[in-house]
Amino acid sequence: MQAEYENRRQQLMAKIGNGTAIFRSAPMAVMHNDVEYTFRQDSDFFYLTGFNEPQAVAVLAPHHEEHRFILFVQPKEREKEVWTGYRTGVEEAKSRYGADEAYPIGELEEKLLQYVEKAERIYYHLGRDRAFNETILKLWQRLVAMYPKRGIGPMAIEDSNVILHPLRLVKSDSELALMRTAAAISVEAHNKARELARPGCYEYEIQAEIERIFRYRGGTGVAYPSIVASGDNACVLHYIENNRQMLDNELLLIDAGCAYDYYNADITRTFPVGNKFTPEQKILYEIVLEAQLKAIAQVQPGNPYNAFHDTAVRVITEGLVELGILRGEIDKLIEEEKYKPFYMHRTGHWLGLDVHDVGVYQHGESPHILQAGNVLTVEPGIYIVPNTPNAEDQPEIDPRWIGIGIRIEDDVLVTATGQEVLTDGVPKLVSELEGNR
C-alpha cells in the first residue's frame, strides 16, 4: 500500500511544481471531560500518507534539493505511550512511511521554513484548526515581508483542496477493493436487520445487530450514525434516536453503512415491519423504486452529474401528481420545485474516504461530467411529513398518505461502459420484501 501513497504524492507534487503543500493531521476530539473519542485521521492527510496518528504534519516540497516528503510526528515517549498507545516516532516515520526526512512535531516552526522559503506559493487548506492556521499565516507573512530583499518566496496561499480533491474523486483499484468490502459487510448487516425486524421490536435492537456485524466482519465501525426509523420517524432525514418500539403495518427505514479501513458504504432500505406493505405504502414505494432504477441508469461515463437527480425528480413529481398529492403541469412543478415538501434532498453524493466525499458537483454553470472511477450514492425518497403546510395552489394532503417516509439508496461505481451497483445484494423489489422472513 505504501507504493500507492507514494504514487498519490507524486501526482500531487507534479501539480504543485515549485510550490509547497502542507497538511495537518486531525485533532483529538473530546467526548466528555477528559475522555476522548476514538481517533480518526483527517482524510486528506491519510490519503497522502497512510499515517494514523494525531499531532502530525506532512509537507510536500517537490522543489527541495534533498527532501520532497517530510513528516513531523510525535516522538517516542515511553511514559506517554503506556497511557495512550504506541507511537511510530521519528525514525520509523521515515522507514515505514517513506518520508525523506522526519522531525519531532515540536520542531515544526523551526524546521518548516527551509521547505517553504523558496517555494513560489504555499498550498494549504485553511480549515478548522485555527491555531495551525495562524502558524501558517504568520510564516507566510514573514516570507512576504522578506520578499523585497530576497526576490524569492511564496507570494500566495492557494487552497490545497482544489488540486488534491480531483485526485480523490477517481478511485484506484485498491480503493475500490476496500469500498467493495465495506459494501459487502453493509449488505450482510442490512439483510440480517430485515430478518430480525418484527412488530414489538425496538429500533435500537436492530441498530445493535447492524453495528455488531460491522465490527464482527472487521469494519472499524459505523460510517455515520445509523438511522433506524420506524413509522413517522422515517420522515426525519437524519433521525438517530433509534428508541421507538415498532408496530405492525408500519415501515422501517434503515440508513446505515460500514466503515472499513477508512472507506465507507452508505445503504438505505425501507420495508414493512410486518409481512406486507399497506396499499398506500406500496404505491409510494414503487414510485421511489422506479425513480431509483431510472436514476441509476443515468450513471454513465460522459453523463452530467445532475442527470440522475433530474431523472429521479421527474419520476417522483409525475407519481405525486398521479396520486393527487401535487397538482399542475409537470415541467412547471419541477421548475418551481413544488415537489420539495415531499422530496427535499438531492439524489446522491460522492462516496469514499468521507461519506459525503470530496469533489465538485458543478464547474460554474456546467455540471461535473461523470468518469470511470467515480463512486456516488443514488438515493431518491418521498416523505409525507406530518403537519406539512399546503403550498399555494396545491391540494390538501389525503390523511392516508401522511407519516409515510421512504428512501432507497445504493452505492454506484461509474465504470468505463456504464455502472456497477456495489450494494445490490440488499433486496429492494416489493416481491422480495413482502412475506415471511
Side-chain angles (χ1 to χ4, degrees):
M1 194 62 188
Q2 282 307 311
E4 174 131 355
Y5 295 124
E6 170 65 17
N7 181 57
R8 294 170 185 172
R9 293 192 294 269
Q10 293 294 342
Q11 288 184 68
L12 184 63
M13 287 191 286
K15 291 180 177 293
I16 67 175
N18 290 326
T20 295
I22 302 170
F23 299 90
R24 174 72 159 172
S25 66
M28 296 298 296
V30 175
M31 180 186 294
H32 49 76
N33 198 5
D34 59 350
V35 176
E36 295 169 327
Y37 285 101
T38 301
F39 178 70
R40 204 279 186 184
Q41 187 59 277
D42 174 82
S43 293
D44 286 343
F45 192 96
F46 189 81
Y47 180 80
L48 291 169
T49 68
F51 190 78
N52 195 31
E53 295 178 22
Q55 297 186 48
V57 171
V59 179
L60 300 181
H63 55 84
H64 195 272
E65 293 179 1
E66 295 181 76
H67 309 144
R68 292 160 55 86
F69 170 40
I70 307 95
L71 279 174
F72 292 85
V73 302
Q74 295 179 95
K76 300 286 289 181
E77 283 189 71
R78 184 180 181 280
E79 293 79 6
K80 291 186 178 180
E81 289 179 68
V82 166
W83 285 92
T84 59
Y86 297 113
R87 298 174 178 178
T88 299
V90 174
E91 289 305 316
E92 280 198 51
K94 290 194 288 185
S95 61
R96 188 185 302 179
Y97 293 96
D100 298 316
E101 187 56 274
Y103 303 101
I105 189 67
E107 297 180 12
L108 177 70
E109 294 192 34
E110 172 192 348
K111 302 292 188 182
L112 183 57
L113 178 64
Q114 64 182 301
Y115 301 112
V116 181
E117 61 183 351
K118 295 181 180 179
E120 291 181 354
R121 64 184 58 208
I122 296 172
Y123 292 87
Y124 172 72
H125 175 64
L126 290 164
R128 290 170 290 185
D129 190 335
R130 294 185 179 181
F132 194 66
N133 291 346
E134 285 298 314
T135 297
I136 299 301
L137 288 171
K138 286 178 182 178
L139 174 63
W140 175 65
Q141 288 169 335
R142 176 183 171 190
L143 291 167
V144 168
M146 294 167 59
Y147 186 85
K149 295 180 181 179
R150 301 170 68 245
I152 191 172
M155 296 304 292
I157 296 179
E158 184 171 330
D159 192 339
S160 55
N161 289 358
V162 175
I163 53 172
L164 177 59
H165 290 177
L167 300 179
R168 283 182 54 187
L169 192 55
V170 179
K171 305 301 187 282
S172 68
D173 289 343
S174 60
E175 288 181 289
L176 291 175
L178 295 173
M179 295 189 73
R180 285 192 174 94
T181 301
I185 295 170
S186 302
V187 164
E188 179 181 345
H190 272 263
N191 288 338
K192 186 64 174 179
R194 193 171 62 85
E195 286 179 22
L196 296 178
R198 293 286 187 278
C201 287
Y202 283 86
E203 294 165 343
Y204 57 73
E205 296 179 69
I206 306 305
Q207 175 187 2
E209 182 61 18
I210 289 169
E211 295 177 6
R212 182 194 72 82
I213 291 173
F214 289 172
R215 291 293 286 136
Y216 181 72
R217 293 301 184 193
T220 50
V222 298
Y224 51 90
S226 300
I227 298 168
V228 184
S230 61
D232 292 359
N233 291 340
C235 294
V236 180
L237 299 183
H238 291 161
Y239 169 82
I240 57 173
E241 285 80 4
N242 302 342
N243 56 13
R244 181 177 177 275
Q245 190 174 30
M246 299 179 290
L247 304 176
D248 201 5
N249 294 320
E250 291 183 335
L251 295 179
L252 178 62
L253 184 156
I254 299 176
D255 187 341
C258 173
Y260 182 84
D261 200 8
Y262 272 84
Y263 286 83
N264 301 290
D266 188 356
I267 305 175
T268 306
R269 289 293 187 270
T270 310
F271 55 86
V273 173
N275 286 328
K276 292 184 75 67
F277 289 94
T278 67
E280 291 77 17
Q281 292 167 356
K282 183 176 180 180
I283 290 168
L284 290 176
Y285 184 90
E286 288 184 327
I287 293 171
V288 176
L289 180 60
E290 180 187 358
Q292 201 224 18
L293 294 174
K294 288 185 175 179
I296 288 173
Q298 291 297 318
V299 178
Q300 303 271 353
N303 273 8
Y305 178 87
N306 62 324
F308 72 97
H309 172 70
D310 293 345
T311 297
V313 165
R314 180 164 292 275
V315 172
I316 288 170
T317 303
E318 290 172 347
L320 294 176
V321 167
E322 186 174 342
L323 297 179
I325 296 173
L326 285 177
R327 179 172 56 213
E329 194 273 322
I330 301 298
D331 288 339
K332 186 176 182 183
L333 290 171
I334 292 173
E335 181 183 353
E336 296 178 354
E337 298 185 331
K338 290 295 178 69
Y339 60 87
K340 276 205 164 180
F342 313 106
Y343 180 37
M344 61 288 294
H345 58 80
R346 300 288 292 181
T347 305
H349 54 78
W350 301 126
L351 184 68
L353 279 169
D354 296 310
V355 176
H356 291 167
D357 208 24
V358 298
V360 298
Y361 297 97
Q362 192 84 9
H363 302 272
E365 296 298 316
S366 303
H368 176 83
I369 301 301
L370 297 178
Q371 58 183 311
N374 293 161
V375 181
L376 50 91
T377 66
V378 180
E379 50 178 307
I382 292 177
Y383 316 88
I384 315 297
V385 183
N387 303 315
T388 298
N390 279 40
E392 184 181 355
D393 74 13
Q394 290 302 308
E396 291 279 344
I397 302 172
D398 190 319
R400 67 195 179 111
W401 306 112
I402 293 174
I404 299 176
I406 297 165
R407 182 166 63 254
I408 307 171
E409 176 182 21
D410 281 296
D411 304 342
V412 184
L413 165 66
V414 183
T415 67
T417 57
Q419 76 287 127
E420 176 189 349
V421 180
L422 303 178
T423 50
D424 64 356
V426 188
K428 58 187 176 184
L429 299 180
V430 168
S431 60
E432 298 171 315
L433 301 179
E434 290 191 325
N436 294 322
R437 295 195 292 271

